[in-house]
Amino acid sequence: MNHTVLTGDRPTGPLHLGHYFGTLANRVRLQDVHEVFVLVADYQVIIDRDRPGGIQANIDDLLLDYLAVGLDPGKVTIFQHSAIPELNQLLLPFLSLVSVAELNRNPTVKDEIAHSSQTAVSGLMFTYPVHQAADILFCKGTLVPVGKDQLPHVEVTRLVARRFNERYGAVFPVPEAMMGGAPLLNGLDGGKMSKSRGNAISLKASEDETAALIRAARTDSDRHITYEPETRPEVANLLLLAGLCLGRAPQEIAEEIGYGGARRLKELLTEAVNEFLRPIRERRREVDVAEARRILREGNARARERAVDTLEEVRVAMGF
Ligand code: TRP
């Protein structure tokens, strides 16, 4: 089956290991087999803040991360919201297809509101999942590689596609979410891994920064290291991360550490992460920003052609 794959990230800071095992690794695999679009979701940045703040620097960072992990601009189309007016215009008809009650019960939106530092919740907070449907459907995406937190948004997209087709005739495929093979990684403090919570290892962090973050990671006082996600979530999470980097089972790593305690676990993890990220960090140093921006401009032009065609089809189907 030939898929059109679409996925993306908010340019709010450098990507971290959670992104890597959650979705980036998948994208790199998929680019050899399918048509892949990768979105720099710049209009999603203003969901929970007053201004996009340093947006160009964050976009540059994201582009370098993409190229560093092995996304190949000869194979994937990298593009951004703000360069594709026709994509954004799909939001309007799509919003007419969902109810306020449906917008209100999105669990990821609820979680983001709970963690937002803003006193007033913006209208975009409730409607951006529908905008995300436009991200996925403008290119008639069929497969969406995402982490677990994005599943409600893919559900919204499926709803929008189905309802549009029912009302106006078959225009859109109903896309499927694709979860990374890796189990959910938490941050180094045991909470959700997130750039803004300071508990994540960036792909571009130096080896020393990586070591310092891991040294400060939360563990427990039992010197006997065991893999028990239910009763020892922090230790289990570190073992899981080591396992992902080493391509080994976390239980096996726990046995090897035995009574070495948190200290031995952290040493082992630091080495595993730095070893794993070495080639990615090296590649990142080799790409320059001007080249990355040129790649984005080319991607924008390609994506825009698709958006123009889809918007035209939508207007005709709707009778405009
Ligand atoms: N909401 C996603 C995130 O915060 C980013 C995103 C925007 C996205 N549009 C998308 C992901 C479309 C998948 C498909 O990470």
Side-chain angles (χ1 to χ4, degrees):
M1 162 95 181
N2 243 318
H3 279 292
T4 298
V5 177
L6 182 124
T7 183
D9 305 278
R10 292 180 193 176
T12 52
L15 297 178
H16 54 63
L17 282 170
H19 294 116
Y20 187 85
F21 292 112
T23 156
L24 295 171
N26 246 340
R27 298 180 198 177
V28 175
R29 268 191 318 104
L30 292 168
Q31 71 180 350
D32 293 322
V33 192
H34 303 292
E35 179 182 40
V36 177
F37 287 89
V38 177
L39 167 63
V40 176
D42 52 2
Y43 279 169
Q44 277 199 10
V45 173
I46 47 173
I47 289 170
D48 61 356
R49 59 199 77 185
D50 300 330
R51 49 195 73 199
I55 186 76
Q56 190 55 56
N58 283 336
I59 290 175
D60 290 342
D61 245 346
L62 191 55
L63 294 171
L64 295 184
D65 281 337
Y66 284 163
L67 299 172
V69 297
L71 287 180
D72 176 350
K75 295 176 184 160
V76 306
T77 298
I78 303 175
F79 69 105
Q80 66 195 131
H81 279 144
S82 62
I84 323 286
E86 295 78 8
L87 181 161
N88 295 301
Q89 198 175 325
L90 290 172
L91 175 63
L92 209 142
F94 285 2
L95 273 175
S96 75
L97 298 168
V98 295
S99 69
V100 170
E102 283 160 347
L103 295 176
N104 260 320
R105 57 170 177 254
N106 184 308
T108 296
V109 168
K110 283 187 186 164
D111 187 62
E112 283 170 326
I113 291 172
H115 286 94
S116 164
S117 54
Q118 283 196 314
T119 43
V121 180
S122 75
L124 187 58
M125 179 60 97
F126 290 100
T127 50
Y128 88 81
V130 182
H131 189 243
Q132 194 158 323
D135 299 344
I136 296 167
L137 295 177
F138 93 93
C139 62
K140 303 198 175 176
T142 56
L143 192 65
V144 189
V146 280
K148 190 163 166 245
D149 63 316
Q150 297 295 304
L151 292 181
H153 301 347
V154 178
E155 262 328 297
V156 171
T157 305
R158 292 164 58 83
L159 194 73
V160 165
R162 268 193 242 109
R163 286 193 186 151
F164 188 95
N165 293 346
E166 272 163 30
R167 269 189 214 183
Y168 303 114
V171 169
F172 294 112
V174 179
E176 306 275 343
M178 181 194 202
M179 301 267 284
L184 192 67
L185 264 180
N186 282 324
L188 296 171
D189 57 359
K192 181 187 170 187
M193 191 185 285
S194 158
K195 309 174 239 212
S196 59
R197 297 180 200 183
N199 62 2
I201 301 170
S202 309
L203 302 179
K204 72 164 194 176
S206 70
E207 299 205 352
D208 289 345
E209 285 162 352
T210 303
L213 274 167
I214 293 173
R215 221 177 294 121
R218 188 173 301 169
T219 53
D220 57 38
S221 54
D222 188 346
R223 284 187 55 81
H224 185 210
I225 297 301
T226 54
Y227 184 68
E228 292 168 275
E230 293 300 324
T231 50
R232 307 181 71 186
E234 292 94 356
V235 166
N237 187 54
L238 299 184
L239 286 164
L240 181 62
L241 179 54
L244 288 168
C245 290
L246 295 167
R248 292 176 58 190
Q251 293 85 346
E252 194 188 303
I253 298 171
E255 268 166 42
E256 188 178 299
I257 297 170
Y259 284 89
R263 184 159 154 204
R264 179 71 201 110
L265 170 59
K266 288 180 176 183
E267 282 166 7
L268 182 146
L269 179 61
T270 302
E271 210 177 287
V273 169
N274 281 335
E275 194 63 38
F276 182 80
L277 288 178
R278 193 160 298 137
I280 292 176
R281 288 166 173 167
E282 257 163 39
R283 224 165 328 161
R284 199 177 202 281
R285 281 192 291 272
E286 285 161 13
V287 267
D288 74 282
V289 173
E291 171 69 2
R293 290 183 184 175
R294 192 187 55 72
I295 288 166
L296 180 62
R297 274 197 302 279
E298 282 179 12
N300 284 338
R302 278 206 297 274
R304 188 155 186 203
E305 283 177 26
R306 295 285 282 262
V308 167
D309 288 349
T310 301
L311 180 63
E312 188 50 26
E313 214 182 317
V314 160
R315 286 155 51 117
V316 170
M318 294 177 76
F320 282 106

